[in-house]
Amino acid sequence: MGKTRFAYPAIAVLLVVLMYPVICRNSGKKYESDLSSVIGYRMMLPPGMERDRSHSATLVIYYDTVTCISCMMNRLGEWNELFSELKDSYGCTPLFIFEPAIEDSTEYRRKLDYAELTYPVFSDFHRIFRKSNPYIADNSNLKAFLLDRQHRVVFAGNPLHNMVLWEVLQMYITALLENDGTLPERFPEKVHDYIATRTRPQSGLLFDTFQTDVGNVGNGSTQTVSFTALNTTENTVCIAGILTDCDCVQATASAYSIAPGRTCIITVSFAPENTGHFEHHVFIQTEDCSDETHLVITGNSISFG
């Protein structure tokens, strides 16, 4: 299926700047390429989810097979908090697209029924959405899309763990609603100025790596990996919390108060639930920091049976 791209170069550059705390740690050039590949393209929505041009802004949340089932469903509570604000303040109802593996269909449907979602959901067992939009990259940070009236992608990014990104997403929605579904010409400058006033210093923790691939691991077996963080500032850095994207992932720190020049170890244990490629995320929250440190663990779960 052909695809049409529209010119949004300033928007792509702006989002790269906004997400710099993430992309500078996880292959910045690759991230910039992935982002540029989606901004400006007209997105094809699955059957039954198409919206007419009366919708000035459409938010699409996409979870593909890289994400385990429990990881998908466990995030719904977090999204619900954002959704209530979107609906009450902007009248913008998100569209959810789940792409579970065929072999996981029973568990997926059970958890979907239990979640009792009140917003549109498309269960994409045959990868219709992916096939219709092949330019979407396999990057978990780029699976939330804001579309303008013509279904062109004007924003891509996951605002769940980035407050500034969430605030900027609301600015995009407001701009679309106030301008009949089209972004104003000087909108990127406005957002850039806003980011400059909201961005706060980063955590000051320098990690030995922000992403690790554990290779092949046995399905259901518990695996453990460690990340070392060095406090590069002149002040004590306090870890306020550690979040994971799945119940199957647990993370702890050897110290929650790190003096200048000292290190701490973040230990992550996990047990892959399904065979195939997996990707898990750990978010380190520190005091007085607007963004979280994002750690990524990837690998392949195989059956030895």
Side-chain angles (χ1 to χ4, degrees):
M1 182 177 296
K3 56 182 182 293
T4 304
R5 187 177 189 181
F6 298 81
Y8 275 122
I11 297 298
V13 172
L14 173 64
L15 290 175
V16 170
V17 172
L18 179 59
M19 293 298 288
Y20 185 78
V22 174
I23 66 174
C24 66
R25 300 165 182 162
N26 296 297
S27 184
K29 291 184 178 179
K30 178 64 165 57
Y31 187 97
E32 184 172 356
S33 174
D34 291 345
L35 182 59
S36 297
S37 71
V38 69
I39 294 296
Y41 276 109
R42 176 172 286 165
M43 181 165 284
M44 304 298 295
L45 297 179
M49 299 191 82
E50 301 95 340
R51 293 194 164 191
D52 59 40
R53 298 301 183 255
S54 65
H55 288 82
S56 297
T58 300
L59 181 61
V60 178
I61 311 298
Y62 171 51
Y63 280 99
D64 58 14
T65 51
V66 171
T67 311
C68 66
I69 294 179
S70 62
C71 301
M72 288 185 196
M73 311 315 287
N74 289 346
R75 309 308 292 273
L76 295 182
E78 299 176 54
W79 282 111
N80 267 328
E81 296 179 8
L82 298 185
F83 288 170
S84 62
E85 185 173 349
L86 280 178
K87 185 175 181 179
D88 294 343
S89 302
Y90 309 99
C92 180
T93 302
L95 309 179
F96 252 88
I97 299 175
F98 290 116
E99 187 188 287
I102 296 293
E103 59 269 23
D104 297 328
S105 59
T106 300
E107 182 181 1
Y108 164 74
R109 294 187 187 281
R110 177 178 60 82
K111 292 193 174 186
L112 187 61
D113 290 340
Y114 180 78
E116 297 182 343
L117 306 182
T118 59
Y119 33 81
V121 174
F122 182 78
S123 300
D124 194 1
F125 291 101
H126 301 290
R127 305 190 73 193
I128 296 174
F129 180 71
R130 167 71 71 175
K131 294 175 182 177
S132 300
N133 303 282
Y135 51 85
I136 295 177
D138 291 321
N139 190 317
S140 60
N141 289 307
L142 296 175
K143 296 297 173 64
F145 310 98
L146 181 64
L147 315 182
D148 66 8
R149 177 179 291 276
Q150 301 301 322
H151 289 178
R152 296 171 293 188
V153 180
V154 300
F155 177 99
N158 189 336
L160 279 181
H161 298 280
N162 188 321
M163 183 56 64
V164 179
L165 194 67
W166 166 236
E167 294 169 354
V168 169
L169 172 59
Q170 294 177 78
M171 293 180 66
Y172 273 79
I173 294 174
T174 299
L176 289 175
L177 295 180
E178 292 179 348
N179 293 274
D180 198 29
T182 302
L183 291 179
E185 182 178 352
R186 302 184 68 84
F187 178 74
E189 297 177 17
K190 177 181 178 181
V191 177
H192 187 278
D193 292 342
Y194 179 79
I195 293 172
T197 65
R198 283 289 289 111
T199 303
R200 295 155 58 186
Q202 299 307 302
S203 68
L205 293 179
L206 177 63
F207 281 76
D208 55 346
T209 182
F210 292 91
Q211 181 169 348
T212 183
D213 189 292
V214 298
N216 294 329
V217 299
N219 183 35
S221 63
T222 300
Q223 307 293 320
T224 301
V225 296
S226 296
F227 299 84
T228 301
L230 170 68
N231 180 358
T232 60
T233 74
E234 297 180 354
N235 302 304
T236 298
V237 172
C238 295
I239 295 178
I242 303 177
L243 303 176
T244 65
D245 67 347
C246 180
D247 288 342
C248 61
V249 181
Q250 304 295 323
T252 59
S254 61
Y256 287 83
S257 180
I258 305 104
R262 303 302 295 270
T263 62
C264 78
I265 306 296
I266 305 297
T267 301
V268 182
S269 60
F270 60 97
E273 294 183 338
N274 305 296
T275 57
H277 179 78
F278 62 82
E279 179 177 307
H280 289 302
H281 302 261
V282 178
F283 304 91
I284 313 299
Q285 301 173 322
T286 55
E287 295 181 355
D288 300 321
C289 181
S290 61
D291 294 307
E292 301 165 319
T293 298
H294 182 192
L295 307 177
V296 183
I297 302 167
T298 59
N300 290 289
S301 176
I302 61 176
S303 175
F304 293 114

